[in-house]
Amino acid sequence: MRKVEVFRALHRSRLPGDPLVLPGPWDAISAQVCEEAGFPALATPSAGIAAALGHEDGSTPADEMFAAVARICGAVDIPVSADVEGGYGLAPKELVERLLAAGAVGCNLEDSRQGVLKDSREHAEWLAEVRYAAGDQLFVNARVDVFSYGDGDPERAIERAALYVAAGADCVYPIGAPVSVLPLLRSGIQGPVNMFARLDGEGPSPTELGELGATRVTFGPGLQRRMARQLRESADRLQR
């Protein structure tokens, strides 16, 4: 079975309380550690990779991002989905070609630009072009930024999600959505729903998010930031 088929299958028939949990490696060694820990797939965080490469979130050059994704994909045998932000201005065909060349089986694509929501219908048309170029070779996770850069209206998020699913998105990611609206989002969105979880003990656990309707759970750059804090603590101890 192809890796992309394995990745798609991981999203199917998830039981309540048992979401697909995808850690976010930022380089080859963190990817290998996650694989050795038993995770069935990975989801790279653009913010985590940006930090590792010395860039601000959202400012990583496309060539550097794809090179980092390629190193991660090449370091493990399990499927890897890549957060490629808004697609770096690439035409859908080139974006797909570069993702596949890097070894990714999926991607996150956001519906905002520099903190401003894109026109939802225009974005849906662009997603449809990505889907056409990718065929069945990529799992497309469509980010919905209503809660981050819009008015936070769950109904508006559901409307945008419907357009993206109709355009061929395999999963919808209402990033920043309050846990309280997850059941409403779950009832209104067709197909898998990705939710964000924190690693600091604040907020619900992946299991709790699954019980509320999440199909899969990701952590953004949380793992990378936790490791950076632990490194700082270790470095401080060296000076005592």
Side-chain angles (χ1 to χ4, degrees):
M1 184 182 293
R2 295 180 302 162
K3 284 186 180 180
V4 66
E5 294 169 348
V6 171
F7 193 62
R8 278 204 177 88
L10 289 171
H11 292 77
R12 299 188 188 119
S13 303
R14 306 300 308 192
L15 297 174
D18 182 34
L20 174 61
V21 177
L22 299 177
W26 59 95
D27 60 10
I29 185 62
S30 60
Q32 290 171 340
V33 168
C34 290
E35 181 180 40
E36 291 167 2
F39 288 97
L42 308 172
T44 69
S46 61
I49 289 177
L53 295 176
H55 299 293
E56 294 293 325
D57 184 20
S59 66
T60 306
D63 288 348
E64 292 189 42
M65 182 61 75
F66 286 113
V69 170
R71 287 191 291 272
I72 290 170
C73 293
V76 296
D77 293 325
I78 55 179
V80 177
S81 180
D83 181 351
V84 288
E85 302 175 294
Y88 307 110
L90 300 174
K93 185 174 185 295
E94 183 179 359
L95 176 61
V96 168
E97 288 173 348
R98 297 196 69 170
L99 281 163
L100 294 176
V105 301
C107 60
N108 275 19
L109 295 169
E110 58 197 46
D111 69 345
S112 63
R113 182 185 295 110
Q114 296 181 335
V116 178
L117 286 175
K118 299 176 182 178
D119 179 89
S120 58
R121 294 191 179 278
E122 291 179 2
H123 186 62
E125 291 174 1
W126 182 77
L127 285 176
E129 292 179 30
V130 172
R131 168 53 65 211
Y132 178 79
D136 66 352
Q137 298 182 84
L138 283 176
F139 185 99
V140 177
N141 188 33
R143 210 175 85 173
V144 177
D145 288 355
V146 166
F147 299 98
S148 297
Y149 304 121
D151 59 9
D153 183 349
E155 294 296 342
R156 190 146 353 254
I158 290 171
E159 290 170 4
R160 294 176 80 91
L163 289 172
Y164 305 159
V165 170
D170 298 286
C171 184
V172 174
Y173 182 15
I175 190 169
V179 176
S180 60
V181 305
L182 178 51
L184 175 60
L185 295 175
R186 173 67 283 168
S187 66
I189 295 175
Q190 298 297 313
V193 174
N194 186 161
M195 287 292 286
F196 171 83
R198 298 176 58 167
L199 290 169
D200 57 6
E202 298 292 329
S205 68
T207 296
E208 290 167 333
L209 288 171
E211 290 171 345
L212 291 170
T215 309
R216 85 181 204 181
V217 174
T218 53
F219 306 90
L223 195 59
Q224 190 264 352
R225 290 173 180 173
R226 171 178 278 192
M227 293 303 102
R229 289 193 296 271
Q230 291 181 352
L231 177 60
R232 174 59 187 270
E233 292 170 2
S234 296
D236 288 343
R237 285 195 293 270
L238 294 177
Q239 300 184 75
R240 293 173 186 170

